[in-house]
């Protein structure tokens, strides 16, 4: 994708900065839409797709880091955070929330332009349908692939180390069966029937945390002759 074809969303509560950024980026060939706060950005994002979001961190109401973390549940669009606070811990919190880059105010407009173009060049040119989801939904359970966390509503589901490893293995290939031999190998165990039975026990325990009825699994299925398969919604 050529950088000049990109559609950017600017999110900043400061009208002066918002307008300056919009005019500067339009002069450099971008298509630009602006939002005045997180709520406004959400409304725009519900109807439009963007190639990159440039977002201020310090906004009244929902701040940029919180909005980034929320968007990352469903959106893979690159996010560049802007903030007057350049301390390391704030930069790290933004990146941990899912931002692709971080630029502290005040900054030179040319540096912003270089950062935007660098991010856009890193983006693979793949159809949206090929994007791997970051959250898998298993009925009332959701599994955050990047964080390796399982949640039921607001409650964190505690997983053992082996259960966490199994979820990472299955979430890497949802909808595809994984053989018991492969599970034994990926779990770092010696091959053999005893270890395959041990895997079966771990699968049973994991099902208790995922399934409404573990005896008739809907999401962690047994595929006859092929192994086990994670089948998210």
């Amino acid at each position: 994708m050529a950088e000049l074809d990109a559609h950017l969303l600017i999110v900043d509560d400061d009208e002066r900065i918002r307008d300056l950024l919009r005019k500067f980026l339009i002069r450099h060939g971008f298509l630009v839409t602006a939002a005045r706060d997180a709520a406004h950005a959400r409304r725009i994002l519900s109807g439009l797709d963007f190639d990159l979001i440039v977002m201020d961190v310090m906004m009244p109401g929902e701040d940029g880091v919180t909005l980034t973390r929320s968007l990352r549940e469903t959106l893979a669009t690159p996010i560049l955070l802007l903030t007057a606070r350049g301390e390391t811990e704030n930069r790290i919190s933004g990146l941990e929330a899912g931002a692709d880059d971080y630029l502290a105010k005040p900054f030179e407009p040319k540096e912003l332009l270089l950062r935007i173009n660098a991010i856009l060049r890193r983006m693979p040119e793949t159809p949206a349908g090929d994007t791997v989801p970051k959250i898998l939904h298993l009925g009332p359970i959701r599994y955050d692939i990047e964080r390796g966390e399982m949640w039921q509503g607001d409650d964190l589901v505690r997983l053992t180390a082996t259960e966490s490893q199994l979820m990472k293995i299955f979430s890497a290939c949802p909808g595809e069966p994984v053989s018991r031999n492969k599970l034994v190998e990926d779990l770092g165990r010696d091959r053999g029937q005893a270890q395959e039975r041990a895997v079966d026990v771990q699968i049973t325990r994991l099902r208790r945390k995922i399934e409404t009825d573990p005896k008739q699994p809907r999401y962690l299925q047994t595929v006859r002759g092929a192994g086990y398969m994670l089948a998210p919604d």
Side-chain angles (χ1 to χ4, degrees):
M1 177 185 66
E3 288 83 26
L4 299 187
D5 295 333
H7 188 183
L8 311 183
L9 174 63
I10 306 297
V11 188
D12 198 310
D13 64 298
D14 187 317
E15 184 177 0
R16 184 183 66 86
I17 292 176
R18 195 168 64 237
D19 286 347
L20 284 172
L21 287 177
R22 187 175 62 82
K23 290 174 182 175
F24 172 76
L25 292 168
I26 287 174
R27 279 203 310 273
H28 285 83
F30 293 100
L31 178 61
V32 181
T33 299
R36 60 184 171 272
D37 55 25
H40 189 198
R42 286 183 181 278
R43 290 196 294 274
I44 292 172
L45 286 165
S46 68
L48 288 174
D49 291 326
F50 292 89
D51 297 296
L52 185 142
I53 301 169
V54 179
M55 178 157 44
D56 187 34
V57 169
M58 303 300 290
M59 296 187 290
E62 187 177 14
D63 64 45
V65 173
T66 305
L67 178 58
T68 296
R69 186 175 293 110
S70 175
L71 292 178
R72 276 293 170 258
E73 294 186 4
T74 57
L75 204 65
T77 306
I79 297 174
L80 171 62
L81 289 178
L82 306 175
T83 181
R85 301 194 305 182
E87 294 88 350
T88 301
E89 61 268 24
N90 295 313
R91 183 166 67 251
I92 290 173
S93 67
L95 296 173
E96 286 179 340
D100 295 83
D101 204 350
Y102 191 103
L103 186 58
K105 297 177 180 177
F107 54 84
E108 290 292 330
K110 186 176 180 181
E111 182 179 3
L112 174 64
L113 191 63
L114 290 171
R115 297 281 188 105
I116 288 172
N117 284 330
I119 293 172
L120 292 174
R121 282 195 295 271
R122 292 200 302 264
M123 291 302 295
E125 296 186 14
T126 54
D130 291 346
T131 302
V132 177
K134 294 182 183 296
I135 304 290
L136 293 180
H137 295 276
L138 312 164
I141 299 290
R142 67 184 188 279
Y143 179 69
D144 186 319
I145 295 174
E146 290 187 343
R147 294 177 178 272
E149 294 175 348
M150 185 177 289
W151 294 82
Q152 182 165 13
D154 294 328
D155 298 324
L156 182 66
V157 179
R158 301 292 177 185
L159 298 175
T160 66
T162 301
E163 289 166 351
S164 293
Q165 205 169 350
L166 283 170
M167 283 303 301
K168 287 181 181 178
I169 293 168
F170 286 124
S171 62
C173 53
E176 297 178 15
V178 182
S179 71
R180 293 159 86 206
N181 280 340
K182 182 77 163 61
L183 290 173
V184 169
E185 184 179 328
D186 287 353
L187 290 172
R189 304 189 178 194
D190 295 329
R191 294 174 181 270
Q193 287 188 342
Q195 292 302 339
E196 289 188 7
R197 286 196 293 272
V199 167
D200 294 340
V201 171
Q202 294 295 338
I203 293 289
T204 299
R205 291 176 177 171
L206 184 55
R207 278 174 172 163
R208 291 177 189 153
K209 298 181 179 181
I210 294 176
E211 304 285 355
T212 304
D213 182 359
K215 292 183 179 179
Q216 299 205 355
R218 157 69 181 85
Y219 298 106
L220 187 47
Q221 301 176 3
T222 300
V223 181
R224 191 166 185 174
Y228 297 104
M229 179 179 73
L230 190 69
D233 291 326

